[in-house]
Amino acid sequence: MASSLTTFTDEAKIALDTLSGRATGLFSPSLRLGVTGLSRAGKTVFISALVHNLIHGGRLPLFEAQKSGRIARAFLEEQPDDAVPRFQYEDHIAALVNDRLWPDSTRAISELRLTIEYESASGWSRMFSSGRLSVDIVDYPGEWLLDLPLLGKSYGDFSREAFEMAALPVRVDLSQEWRQLSAAVDPNAEADEMTARRLAESFAAYLKACKLDERALSTLPPGRFLMPGDLEGSPALTFAPLPDLSERRARSGSLQAMMERRYEAYKTHVVKPFFREHITRLDRQIVLIDALQALNAGPGAMADLERAVTEILACFRPGHGNFLTDFFSRRIDRILVAATKADHLHHESHDRLQAIVRRLADRAVARANFTGADVDVVALAAVRATREGTVKQGRETLPVIIGTPLKGERINGETFDGNTETAIFPGDLPEKIDAVFGDPGPDHRQNNDDPAIRFVRFRPPKLERTAEGITLSLPHIRLDRALQFLIGDHLA
Protein backbone atom coordinates (compact mmCIF):
# COMPACT_ATOMS: atom_id res chain seq x y z
CA MET A 1 0.00 0.00 0.00
CA ALA A 2 2.87 2.38 0.79
CA SER A 3 3.72 2.73 -2.89
CA SER A 4 0.31 4.28 -3.56
CA LEU A 5 0.70 7.01 -0.94
CA THR A 6 2.96 9.33 -2.93
CA THR A 7 3.07 11.07 -6.29
CA PHE A 8 6.02 11.31 -8.67
CA THR A 9 6.82 14.74 -7.18
CA ASP A 10 6.77 13.30 -3.67
CA GLU A 11 9.16 10.55 -4.74
CA ALA A 12 11.54 13.09 -6.26
CA LYS A 13 11.61 15.06 -3.00
CA ILE A 14 12.16 11.87 -1.00
CA ALA A 15 15.04 10.85 -3.30
CA LEU A 16 16.75 14.23 -2.95
CA ASP A 17 16.36 14.20 0.81
CA THR A 18 17.71 10.64 1.03
CA LEU A 19 20.68 11.47 -1.22
CA SER A 20 21.56 14.44 0.98
CA GLY A 21 21.34 12.34 4.13
CA ARG A 22 23.39 9.50 2.67
CA ALA A 23 26.14 11.90 1.56
CA THR A 24 26.43 13.20 5.11
CA GLY A 25 26.35 9.64 6.42
CA LEU A 26 29.48 8.69 4.47
CA PHE A 27 31.49 10.65 7.03
CA SER A 28 29.12 10.37 9.99
CA PRO A 29 27.15 7.08 9.86
CA SER A 30 23.62 7.28 11.20
CA LEU A 31 20.57 5.07 11.59
CA ARG A 32 17.01 6.39 11.86
CA LEU A 33 14.97 4.34 14.32
CA GLY A 34 11.22 4.88 14.39
CA VAL A 35 9.43 4.25 17.69
CA THR A 36 5.68 4.07 17.53
CA GLY A 37 2.79 2.44 19.30
CA LEU A 38 -0.78 3.08 20.20
CA SER A 39 -1.84 5.08 23.22
CA ARG A 40 -0.25 4.03 26.54
CA ALA A 41 1.93 1.36 24.95
CA GLY A 42 4.98 2.99 26.55
CA LYS A 43 6.85 4.78 23.73
CA THR A 44 8.23 7.53 25.98
CA VAL A 45 9.30 5.03 28.63
CA PHE A 46 10.96 2.78 26.02
CA ILE A 47 13.06 5.58 24.54
CA SER A 48 14.02 6.97 27.96
CA ALA A 49 15.06 3.52 29.24
CA LEU A 50 16.99 2.67 26.05
CA VAL A 51 19.02 5.89 26.23
CA HIS A 52 19.51 5.69 30.01
CA ASN A 53 20.84 2.12 29.87
CA LEU A 54 23.26 2.88 27.03
CA ILE A 55 24.57 6.09 28.56
CA HIS A 56 24.96 4.57 32.03
CA GLY A 57 26.26 1.17 30.98
CA GLY A 58 23.17 -0.74 32.02
CA ARG A 59 22.88 -4.50 32.38
CA LEU A 60 22.33 -5.62 28.79
CA PRO A 61 23.62 -9.22 28.51
CA LEU A 62 21.86 -9.95 25.19
CA PHE A 63 23.19 -6.77 23.53
CA GLU A 64 26.39 -8.21 22.10
CA ALA A 65 28.40 -5.00 21.68
CA GLN A 66 27.78 -4.06 25.31
CA LYS A 67 28.33 -7.58 26.63
CA SER A 68 31.70 -7.89 24.89
CA GLY A 69 32.88 -4.51 26.15
CA ARG A 70 33.20 -2.99 22.70
CA ILE A 71 31.13 0.13 23.47
CA ALA A 72 33.46 2.91 24.63
CA ARG A 73 30.69 5.37 25.44
CA ALA A 74 27.23 6.56 24.42
CA PHE A 75 26.13 10.18 24.64
CA LEU A 76 23.50 12.61 23.39
CA GLU A 77 24.21 15.04 20.56
CA GLU A 78 22.29 17.79 18.84
CA GLN A 79 19.64 16.28 16.57
CA PRO A 80 19.87 16.79 12.79
CA ASP A 81 16.33 18.14 12.23
CA ASP A 82 15.92 21.65 13.61
CA ALA A 83 12.20 21.81 12.80
CA VAL A 84 11.33 18.71 14.85
CA PRO A 85 10.82 19.08 18.63
CA ARG A 86 13.48 17.43 20.78
CA PHE A 87 12.51 14.38 22.83
CA GLN A 88 12.80 15.71 26.38
CA TYR A 89 14.86 12.85 27.74
CA GLU A 90 16.08 14.67 30.84
CA ASP A 91 12.55 15.60 31.96
CA HIS A 92 11.28 12.05 31.43
CA ILE A 93 14.18 10.51 33.38
CA ALA A 94 13.61 12.97 36.24
CA ALA A 95 9.97 11.88 36.41
CA LEU A 96 10.91 8.18 36.39
CA VAL A 97 13.88 8.28 38.76
CA ASN A 98 13.21 11.16 41.14
CA ASP A 99 9.42 11.28 41.31
CA ARG A 100 8.64 7.65 40.43
CA LEU A 101 6.01 8.87 37.98
CA TRP A 102 5.44 7.65 34.45
CA PRO A 103 6.22 10.47 31.97
CA ASP A 104 3.54 12.09 29.85
CA SER A 105 2.41 10.22 26.75
CA THR A 106 3.57 11.04 23.23
CA ARG A 107 1.42 13.83 21.79
CA ALA A 108 3.43 14.74 18.70
CA ILE A 109 6.61 13.92 16.81
CA SER A 110 9.91 14.32 18.63
CA GLU A 111 13.50 13.29 17.97
CA LEU A 112 16.71 12.53 19.83
CA ARG A 113 20.23 11.71 18.59
CA LEU A 114 22.21 9.14 20.57
CA THR A 115 25.78 8.59 19.40
CA ILE A 116 27.62 5.36 20.21
CA GLU A 117 31.40 5.06 20.00
CA TYR A 118 32.45 1.43 19.68
CA GLU A 119 35.13 -0.96 18.46
CA SER A 120 34.15 -3.30 15.66
CA ALA A 121 34.42 -7.02 16.39
CA SER A 122 36.15 -7.53 13.04
CA GLY A 123 39.70 -6.41 12.39
CA TRP A 124 38.83 -5.83 8.73
CA SER A 125 35.89 -3.61 9.70
CA ARG A 126 38.06 -1.65 12.12
CA MET A 127 40.23 -0.59 9.16
CA PHE A 128 37.31 1.02 7.34
CA SER A 129 34.77 1.87 10.06
CA SER A 130 34.84 5.08 12.05
CA GLY A 131 33.66 3.16 15.11
CA ARG A 132 30.92 5.70 15.60
CA LEU A 133 27.16 5.38 14.97
CA SER A 134 24.50 8.03 15.51
CA VAL A 135 21.04 6.63 16.21
CA ASP A 136 18.35 9.20 15.42
CA ILE A 137 15.34 8.10 17.45
CA VAL A 138 12.04 9.37 16.01
CA ASP A 139 9.08 9.17 18.39
CA TYR A 140 5.60 9.53 16.92
CA PRO A 141 2.03 8.52 17.86
CA GLY A 142 0.75 5.30 16.32
CA GLU A 143 -2.64 6.96 15.93
CA TRP A 144 -1.08 9.21 13.30
CA LEU A 145 0.34 6.23 11.45
CA LEU A 146 -3.16 4.75 11.19
CA ASP A 147 -4.13 7.80 9.14
CA LEU A 148 -1.88 6.78 6.25
CA PRO A 149 -4.39 4.32 4.69
CA LEU A 150 -6.71 7.31 4.25
CA LEU A 151 -4.44 8.54 1.45
CA GLY A 152 -5.70 5.69 -0.74
CA LYS A 153 -9.38 6.15 0.17
CA SER A 154 -12.02 8.54 -1.09
CA TYR A 155 -14.36 10.31 1.30
CA GLY A 156 -17.06 7.82 0.32
CA ASP A 157 -14.77 4.87 1.17
CA PHE A 158 -13.85 6.47 4.48
CA SER A 159 -17.51 7.09 5.38
CA ARG A 160 -18.64 3.58 4.47
CA GLU A 161 -15.86 1.91 6.45
CA ALA A 162 -16.40 4.18 9.47
CA PHE A 163 -20.07 3.19 9.71
CA GLU A 164 -19.25 -0.50 9.20
CA MET A 165 -16.76 -0.31 12.07
CA ALA A 166 -19.20 1.61 14.26
CA ALA A 167 -21.77 -1.19 13.88
CA LEU A 168 -19.42 -3.87 15.25
CA PRO A 169 -20.59 -5.41 18.56
CA VAL A 170 -17.68 -3.96 20.50
CA ARG A 171 -18.45 -0.41 19.24
CA VAL A 172 -22.18 -0.24 18.56
CA ASP A 173 -23.23 1.23 21.91
CA LEU A 174 -20.40 3.78 21.95
CA SER A 175 -21.25 5.03 18.46
CA GLN A 176 -25.03 5.23 18.97
CA GLU A 177 -25.27 8.97 19.63
CA TRP A 178 -23.08 9.85 16.64
CA ARG A 179 -24.94 7.47 14.31
CA GLN A 180 -28.30 8.88 15.37
CA LEU A 181 -27.09 12.43 14.80
CA SER A 182 -25.71 11.48 11.38
CA ALA A 183 -28.95 9.73 10.38
CA ALA A 184 -30.90 12.97 10.95
CA VAL A 185 -28.68 14.91 8.54
CA ASP A 186 -29.28 15.30 4.80
CA PRO A 187 -25.91 15.18 2.97
CA ASN A 188 -27.45 17.17 0.12
CA ALA A 189 -28.59 20.03 2.37
CA GLU A 190 -26.81 23.37 2.32
CA ALA A 191 -23.42 23.36 4.00
CA ASP A 192 -23.70 24.57 7.58
CA GLU A 193 -20.76 25.18 9.90
CA MET A 194 -22.62 24.34 13.11
CA THR A 195 -23.92 21.06 11.68
CA ALA A 196 -20.40 20.12 10.62
CA ARG A 197 -19.09 21.03 14.07
CA ARG A 198 -21.73 18.96 15.91
CA LEU A 199 -21.02 15.93 13.74
CA ALA A 200 -17.26 16.26 14.13
CA GLU A 201 -17.49 16.65 17.91
CA SER A 202 -19.85 13.68 18.25
CA PHE A 203 -17.61 11.52 16.02
CA ALA A 204 -14.52 12.52 18.03
CA ALA A 205 -16.31 11.72 21.31
CA TYR A 206 -17.12 8.23 19.99
CA LEU A 207 -13.47 7.64 19.00
CA LYS A 208 -12.26 8.78 22.44
CA ALA A 209 -14.73 6.45 24.18
CA CYS A 210 -13.37 3.54 22.12
CA LYS A 211 -9.89 4.32 23.43
CA LEU A 212 -10.77 4.05 27.14
CA ASP A 213 -9.56 1.08 29.21
CA GLU A 214 -12.96 -0.65 29.19
CA ARG A 215 -12.76 -1.20 25.42
CA ALA A 216 -9.08 -0.55 24.64
CA LEU A 217 -9.72 -0.31 20.90
CA SER A 218 -6.89 0.62 18.57
CA THR A 219 -8.17 1.34 15.03
CA LEU A 220 -9.42 4.90 15.46
CA PRO A 221 -8.63 7.14 12.47
CA PRO A 222 -8.44 10.05 11.91
CA GLY A 223 -5.66 10.18 14.49
CA ARG A 224 -5.68 13.97 14.93
CA PHE A 225 -9.25 13.73 16.24
CA LEU A 226 -7.68 12.14 19.32
CA MET A 227 -4.54 14.32 19.34
CA PRO A 228 -5.44 17.56 17.51
CA GLY A 229 -2.52 19.68 18.75
CA ASP A 230 -2.45 23.11 17.11
CA LEU A 231 -5.02 21.96 14.52
CA GLU A 232 -7.84 21.92 17.08
CA GLY A 233 -10.85 23.85 15.78
CA SER A 234 -9.48 24.12 12.23
CA PRO A 235 -11.69 23.24 9.22
CA ALA A 236 -9.28 20.37 8.44
CA LEU A 237 -10.48 18.71 11.66
CA THR A 238 -14.13 19.75 11.42
CA PHE A 239 -15.53 16.93 9.32
CA ALA A 240 -17.09 13.52 9.89
CA PRO A 241 -18.30 10.52 7.88
CA LEU A 242 -21.81 10.72 6.42
CA PRO A 243 -24.10 7.70 5.96
CA ASP A 244 -25.63 6.25 2.78
CA LEU A 245 -23.76 8.42 0.29
CA SER A 246 -24.65 8.05 -3.37
CA GLU A 247 -22.12 7.35 -6.10
CA ARG A 248 -22.89 10.68 -7.75
CA ARG A 249 -20.71 13.74 -7.37
CA ALA A 250 -21.69 15.88 -4.38
CA ARG A 251 -23.69 19.01 -5.20
CA SER A 252 -21.62 22.17 -4.95
CA GLY A 253 -22.38 24.02 -1.72
CA SER A 254 -23.85 20.94 -0.01
CA LEU A 255 -22.88 19.52 3.38
CA GLN A 256 -21.39 16.48 1.65
CA ALA A 257 -19.25 18.70 -0.59
CA MET A 258 -17.99 20.58 2.49
CA MET A 259 -17.12 17.34 4.27
CA GLU A 260 -15.34 15.92 1.21
CA ARG A 261 -13.30 19.09 0.77
CA ARG A 262 -12.21 19.08 4.42
CA TYR A 263 -11.41 15.37 4.34
CA GLU A 264 -9.16 15.93 1.31
CA ALA A 265 -7.55 18.94 3.05
CA TYR A 266 -6.80 16.71 6.05
CA LYS A 267 -5.06 14.22 3.78
CA THR A 268 -3.14 16.92 1.87
CA HIS A 269 -2.01 19.14 4.73
CA VAL A 270 -1.75 16.69 7.62
CA VAL A 271 -1.34 13.07 6.53
CA LYS A 272 0.80 13.30 3.40
CA PRO A 273 3.51 15.58 4.88
CA PHE A 274 3.80 13.25 7.88
CA PHE A 275 4.39 10.29 5.58
CA ARG A 276 6.79 12.06 3.23
CA GLU A 277 8.85 13.89 5.87
CA HIS A 278 9.07 11.20 8.53
CA ILE A 279 7.96 7.65 7.64
CA THR A 280 9.89 7.46 4.35
CA ARG A 281 13.12 8.42 6.15
CA LEU A 282 13.20 5.48 8.59
CA ASP A 283 15.70 2.61 8.51
CA ARG A 284 14.41 0.51 11.42
CA GLN A 285 11.13 0.44 13.31
CA ILE A 286 9.74 -0.83 16.62
CA VAL A 287 5.97 -1.03 17.11
CA LEU A 288 4.97 -1.14 20.79
CA ILE A 289 1.61 -2.62 21.74
CA ASP A 290 -0.20 -2.92 25.05
CA ALA A 291 -1.48 -6.45 24.57
CA LEU A 292 -2.37 -6.76 28.27
CA GLN A 293 -4.82 -3.88 28.04
CA ALA A 294 -6.46 -5.52 25.01
CA LEU A 295 -6.58 -8.85 26.86
CA ASN A 296 -8.30 -7.07 29.75
CA ALA A 297 -10.98 -5.81 27.38
CA GLY A 298 -11.64 -9.13 25.63
CA PRO A 299 -11.49 -10.74 22.15
CA GLY A 300 -13.10 -7.74 20.46
CA ALA A 301 -10.21 -5.52 21.55
CA MET A 302 -7.66 -8.13 20.46
CA ALA A 303 -9.25 -8.36 17.01
CA ASP A 304 -9.14 -4.57 16.76
CA LEU A 305 -5.48 -4.53 17.83
CA GLU A 306 -4.67 -7.04 15.10
CA ARG A 307 -6.47 -4.83 12.57
CA ALA A 308 -4.43 -1.83 13.74
CA VAL A 309 -1.09 -3.69 13.48
CA THR A 310 -2.07 -4.86 9.99
CA GLU A 311 -2.72 -1.29 8.86
CA ILE A 312 0.49 -0.06 10.50
CA LEU A 313 2.61 -2.67 8.70
CA ALA A 314 0.93 -1.84 5.39
CA CYS A 315 2.13 1.77 5.72
CA PHE A 316 5.86 1.04 5.95
CA ARG A 317 8.28 0.74 3.06
CA PRO A 318 9.97 -2.60 3.67
CA GLY A 319 12.96 -3.94 1.80
CA HIS A 320 16.67 -4.68 1.76
CA GLY A 321 18.38 -2.20 -0.52
CA ASN A 322 21.78 -2.32 -2.21
CA PHE A 323 24.68 0.12 -2.40
CA LEU A 324 23.17 2.05 -5.33
CA THR A 325 19.46 2.13 -4.44
CA ASP A 326 20.17 3.06 -0.80
CA PHE A 327 21.47 6.44 -1.96
CA PHE A 328 18.04 7.41 -3.28
CA SER A 329 15.52 5.49 -1.20
CA ARG A 330 15.37 4.39 2.41
CA ARG A 331 13.71 1.07 3.20
CA ILE A 332 12.86 -0.39 6.57
CA ASP A 333 14.65 -3.73 6.74
CA ARG A 334 13.84 -4.67 10.36
CA ILE A 335 10.61 -4.27 12.34
CA LEU A 336 10.15 -5.37 15.93
CA VAL A 337 6.64 -5.82 17.34
CA ALA A 338 6.97 -5.59 21.12
CA ALA A 339 4.37 -6.35 23.78
CA THR A 340 5.12 -3.98 26.66
CA LYS A 341 4.54 -4.27 30.42
CA ALA A 342 5.79 -7.85 30.67
CA ASP A 343 6.64 -7.03 34.29
CA HIS A 344 2.89 -7.10 35.04
CA LEU A 345 3.10 -10.88 34.61
CA HIS A 346 5.18 -13.55 36.31
CA HIS A 347 7.97 -14.76 34.03
CA GLU A 348 6.17 -18.12 33.70
CA SER A 349 3.61 -16.33 31.49
CA HIS A 350 6.09 -14.40 29.35
CA ASP A 351 6.33 -17.16 26.74
CA ARG A 352 2.55 -17.16 26.43
CA LEU A 353 2.44 -13.39 26.01
CA GLN A 354 5.12 -13.63 23.33
CA ALA A 355 3.17 -16.42 21.60
CA ILE A 356 0.07 -14.22 21.54
CA VAL A 357 2.06 -11.38 19.97
CA ARG A 358 3.69 -13.79 17.51
CA ARG A 359 0.25 -14.99 16.38
CA LEU A 360 -0.99 -11.41 16.08
CA ALA A 361 2.07 -10.27 14.11
CA ASP A 362 2.07 -13.30 11.80
CA ARG A 363 -1.59 -12.80 10.94
CA ALA A 364 -1.06 -9.06 10.43
CA VAL A 365 1.92 -9.72 8.14
CA ALA A 366 -0.17 -12.15 6.07
CA ARG A 367 -3.15 -9.79 5.84
CA ALA A 368 -0.98 -6.81 4.90
CA ASN A 369 0.92 -8.81 2.23
CA PHE A 370 4.02 -7.53 3.97
CA THR A 371 7.33 -8.74 2.54
CA GLY A 372 10.91 -7.57 2.28
CA ALA A 373 11.76 -6.88 5.93
CA ASP A 374 12.69 -9.06 8.90
CA VAL A 375 9.89 -9.01 11.48
CA ASP A 376 10.42 -10.26 15.02
CA VAL A 377 8.41 -10.12 18.26
CA VAL A 378 9.33 -9.78 21.92
CA ALA A 379 7.61 -9.43 25.29
CA LEU A 380 9.45 -6.73 27.23
CA ALA A 381 9.30 -4.14 29.97
CA ALA A 382 11.48 -1.14 29.16
CA VAL A 383 11.32 -0.24 32.85
CA ARG A 384 10.66 -3.11 35.24
CA ALA A 385 8.29 -1.88 37.95
CA THR A 386 7.92 -5.19 39.83
CA ARG A 387 9.97 -8.06 41.20
CA GLU A 388 8.92 -11.68 41.62
CA GLY A 389 8.20 -13.82 44.66
CA THR A 390 5.98 -16.62 45.97
CA VAL A 391 3.23 -16.82 48.58
CA LYS A 392 1.64 -19.78 50.33
CA GLN A 393 -2.10 -20.26 49.94
CA GLY A 394 -3.07 -23.39 51.80
CA ARG A 395 -0.98 -26.19 50.35
CA GLU A 396 -0.39 -24.23 47.17
CA THR A 397 2.59 -22.01 46.43
CA LEU A 398 1.60 -19.20 44.08
CA PRO A 399 3.99 -17.14 41.95
CA VAL A 400 3.41 -13.42 42.57
CA ILE A 401 4.73 -10.07 41.44
CA ILE A 402 5.59 -7.42 44.02
CA GLY A 403 5.31 -3.70 43.37
CA THR A 404 3.52 -0.48 44.23
CA PRO A 405 0.18 -0.17 42.39
CA LEU A 406 -0.66 3.27 41.09
CA LYS A 407 -2.98 5.38 43.20
CA GLY A 408 -6.60 4.47 42.45
CA GLU A 409 -5.88 0.96 41.13
CA ARG A 410 -8.30 -1.63 42.50
CA ILE A 411 -8.01 -5.36 43.27
CA ASN A 412 -10.87 -7.33 44.81
CA GLY A 413 -12.52 -4.18 46.12
CA GLU A 414 -9.31 -2.76 47.61
CA THR A 415 -8.21 0.66 46.32
CA PHE A 416 -4.49 1.41 46.53
CA ASP A 417 -3.00 4.68 47.74
CA GLY A 418 0.04 4.75 45.43
CA ASN A 419 2.51 4.26 48.29
CA THR A 420 1.83 0.74 49.57
CA GLU A 421 3.82 -2.14 48.14
CA THR A 422 1.89 -5.37 47.71
CA ALA A 423 2.23 -8.88 46.32
CA ILE A 424 -0.23 -9.74 43.55
CA PHE A 425 -1.05 -13.00 41.85
CA PRO A 426 -1.64 -11.72 38.29
CA GLY A 427 -3.22 -14.93 36.99
CA ASP A 428 -2.14 -16.99 34.03
CA LEU A 429 -2.51 -16.27 30.36
CA PRO A 430 -4.38 -19.07 28.55
CA GLU A 431 -2.26 -21.99 27.37
CA LYS A 432 -4.30 -22.20 24.16
CA ILE A 433 -4.21 -18.79 22.55
CA ASP A 434 -7.01 -19.41 20.03
CA ALA A 435 -9.54 -18.13 22.58
CA VAL A 436 -7.71 -14.81 22.76
CA PHE A 437 -8.59 -14.14 19.11
CA GLY A 438 -12.08 -15.69 19.24
CA ASP A 439 -15.40 -14.17 18.22
CA PRO A 440 -16.54 -11.93 21.09
CA GLY A 441 -20.20 -12.62 20.33
CA PRO A 442 -23.05 -10.10 19.98
CA ASP A 443 -22.35 -8.72 23.48
CA HIS A 444 -18.63 -8.88 24.18
CA ARG A 445 -19.06 -8.19 27.89
CA GLN A 446 -21.98 -10.40 28.89
CA ASN A 447 -21.73 -13.38 26.55
CA ASN A 448 -18.12 -14.19 27.34
CA ASP A 449 -18.16 -17.09 29.81
CA ASP A 450 -14.44 -16.90 30.51
CA PRO A 451 -13.44 -14.71 33.47
CA ALA A 452 -11.76 -11.44 32.46
CA ILE A 453 -7.99 -11.29 32.83
CA ARG A 454 -7.19 -8.26 34.94
CA PHE A 455 -3.87 -6.49 35.37
CA VAL A 456 -3.11 -3.48 37.51
CA ARG A 457 -0.65 -0.70 36.80
CA PHE A 458 2.38 -0.04 39.01
CA ARG A 459 4.55 2.95 39.86
CA PRO A 460 8.12 3.05 38.54
CA PRO A 461 10.61 1.26 40.83
CA LYS A 462 12.98 2.72 43.38
CA LEU A 463 16.40 2.53 41.76
CA GLU A 464 19.11 0.51 43.46
CA ARG A 465 22.31 2.20 44.59
CA THR A 466 25.80 0.79 44.93
CA ALA A 467 27.76 0.87 48.19
CA GLU A 468 29.41 4.04 46.86
CA GLY A 469 25.98 5.67 46.42
CA ILE A 470 25.92 5.48 42.62
CA THR A 471 22.43 5.07 41.18
CA LEU A 472 22.19 2.07 38.85
CA SER A 473 20.50 2.13 35.45
CA LEU A 474 16.80 1.48 35.03
CA PRO A 475 15.89 -2.22 35.39
CA HIS A 476 14.19 -3.86 32.42
CA ILE A 477 13.02 -7.10 30.86
CA ARG A 478 14.47 -7.93 27.39
CA LEU A 479 15.34 -4.36 26.44
CA ASP A 480 18.73 -5.80 25.52
CA ARG A 481 17.16 -8.27 23.12
CA ALA A 482 15.26 -5.44 21.42
CA LEU A 483 18.47 -3.42 21.08
CA GLN A 484 20.34 -6.35 19.57
CA PHE A 485 17.68 -6.86 16.90
CA LEU A 486 17.28 -3.17 16.08
CA ILE A 487 20.89 -1.91 15.99
CA GLY A 488 23.22 -4.79 16.92
CA ASP A 489 24.29 -5.54 13.35
CA HIS A 490 25.44 -1.94 12.85
CA LEU A 491 27.84 -2.31 15.77
CA ALA A 492 29.32 -5.65 14.64
Side-chain angles (χ1 to χ4, degrees):
M1 187 197 73
S3 61
S4 67
L5 302 184
T6 54
T7 63
F8 178 80
T9 303
D10 294 328
E11 292 296 335
K13 292 179 180 177
I14 292 168
L16 287 173
D17 176 75
T18 303
L19 182 60
S20 174
R22 296 301 194 199
T24 303
L26 289 174
F27 304 98
S28 180
S30 66
L31 176 77
R32 290 185 71 84
L33 171 63
V35 180
T36 195
L38 301 169
S39 179
R40 287 181 286 191
K43 298 178 292 296
T44 303
V45 173
F46 175 83
I47 295 171
S48 300
L50 181 155
V51 174
H52 192 266
N53 273 279
L54 286 175
I55 288 178
H56 294 278
R59 290 165 284 189
L60 303 166
L62 297 182
F63 184 41
E64 197 280 329
Q66 179 88 331
K67 177 186 176 182
S68 60
R70 293 190 294 103
I71 292 182
R73 65 168 180 149
F75 55 96
L76 295 176
E77 285 195 288
E78 187 176 350
Q79 67 193 57
D81 300 304
D82 293 334
V84 178
R86 183 180 184 271
F87 180 86
Q88 297 300 331
Y89 164 76
E90 296 81 3
D91 295 343
H92 300 322
I93 287 296
L96 283 166
V97 175
N98 300 333
D99 304 324
R100 292 184 65 201
L101 296 174
W102 298 113
D104 292 336
S105 300
T106 299
R107 307 294 297 178
I109 294 174
S110 62
E111 185 177 85
L112 192 69
R113 168 165 280 197
L114 174 72
T115 295
I116 302 170
E117 292 181 350
Y118 68 99
E119 182 181 76
S120 175
S122 161
W124 180 260
S125 296
R126 285 197 293 271
M127 293 178 59
F128 298 97
S129 170
S130 64
R132 182 184 176 104
L133 176 70
S134 293
V135 182
D136 295 322
I137 304 170
V138 183
D139 175 32
Y140 62 94
E143 286 81 1
W144 293 11
L145 195 63
L146 289 173
D147 278 350
L148 296 184
L150 299 180
L151 294 177
K153 298 175 183 176
S154 69
Y155 175 71
D157 295 333
F158 163 66
S159 293
R160 184 181 65 259
E161 291 182 11
F163 280 97
E164 288 173 355
M165 293 276 286
L168 293 174
V170 74
R171 296 170 178 249
V172 67
D173 58 330
L174 301 180
S175 65
Q176 183 177 2
E177 181 180 326
W178 164 63
R179 288 184 292 110
Q180 288 178 344
L181 185 63
S182 300
V185 169
D186 178 8
N188 201 43
E190 290 298 317
D192 176 71
E193 188 64 42
M194 292 310 296
T195 299
R197 180 177 165 184
R198 283 194 299 271
L199 287 169
E201 289 175 350
S202 181
F203 182 58
Y206 145 64
L207 295 180
K208 290 172 184 175
C210 289
K211 185 180 173 184
L212 297 178
D213 286 351
E214 292 77 13
R215 301 298 169 87
L217 299 177
S218 306
T219 312
L220 304 170
R224 297 306 202 283
F225 278 48
L226 299 171
M227 299 178 178
D230 56 4
L231 290 173
E232 188 166 9
S234 67
L237 259 63
T238 311
F239 69 91
L242 290 174
D244 305 321
L245 298 178
S246 68
E247 298 286 335
R248 292 179 298 177
R249 183 183 181 88
R251 181 181 63 82
S252 178
S254 67
L255 180 65
Q256 179 180 343
M258 170 196 274
M259 295 292 197
E260 285 185 0
R261 185 176 67 254
R262 292 181 175 184
Y263 170 76
E264 293 299 331
Y266 181 80
K267 289 161 55 178
T268 299
H269 300 297
V270 178
V271 183
K272 185 173 285 190
F274 168 65
F275 179 71
R276 186 180 65 236
E277 296 167 14
H278 299 287
I279 303 303
T280 60
R281 298 176 62 200
L282 298 176
D283 299 304
R284 299 278 166 90
Q285 177 69 51
I286 181 168
V287 179
L288 302 169
I289 61 174
D290 188 353
L292 296 185
Q293 186 184 39
L295 284 167
N296 270 351
M302 285 300 298
D304 198 71
L305 179 59
E306 182 183 322
R307 184 185 300 113
V309 173
T310 300
E311 295 200 358
I312 285 173
L313 292 179
C315 294
F316 293 133
R317 292 185 160 194
H320 294 272
N322 56 49
F323 181 79
L324 181 61
T325 60
D326 278 352
F327 269 96
F328 300 96
S329 176
R330 289 181 186 261
R331 296 281 170 176
I332 296 176
D333 58 1
R334 290 192 182 186
I335 297 176
L336 184 64
V337 180
T340 58
K341 305 176 185 176
D343 57 330
H344 288 38
L345 293 168
H346 195 271
H347 76 270
E348 293 176 355
S349 285
H350 288 183
D351 286 347
R352 295 181 186 179
L353 177 60
Q354 194 156 296
I356 289 170
V357 180
R358 171 68 68 185
R359 171 76 67 87
L360 185 150
D362 286 348
R363 287 167 39 149
V365 165
R367 289 173 58 187
N369 293 320
F370 185 85
T371 57
D374 298 326
V375 180
D376 200 1
V377 302
V378 66
L380 61 77
V383 173
R384 183 173 188 163
T386 66
R387 62 187 190 277
E388 295 187 350
T390 58
V391 297
K392 286 276 190 181
Q393 192 173 69
R395 295 183 178 181
E396 236 184 325
T397 300
L398 296 177
V400 297
I401 55 175
I402 303 166
T404 305
L406 290 174
K407 184 177 182 179
E409 287 291 297
R410 293 173 60 87
I411 304 175
N412 297 327
E414 180 182 0
T415 303
F416 289 91
D417 59 9
N419 297 310
T420 304
E421 188 175 75
T422 190
I424 296 170
F425 174 61
D428 295 320
L429 293 178
E431 288 185 40
K432 297 181 179 179
I433 63 176
D434 290 344
V436 170
F437 297 93
D439 181 0
D443 188 323
H444 76 289
R445 291 166 299 174
Q446 298 172 6
N447 288 358
N448 187 358
D449 295 330
D450 296 325
I453 305 168
R454 290 295 165 193
F455 306 99
V456 298
R457 292 170 290 190
F458 295 87
R459 288 186 66 186
K462 292 181 181 178
L463 288 196
E464 300 175 31
R465 293 179 181 271
T466 64
E468 295 78 22
I470 300 172
T471 301
L472 300 179
S473 56
L474 288 162
H476 64 86
I477 297 174
R478 300 187 191 90
L479 178 64
D480 48 350
R481 181 179 155 187
L483 276 168
Q484 181 62 29
F485 179 78
L486 291 168
I487 67 173
D489 59 320
H490 280 262
L491 303 174

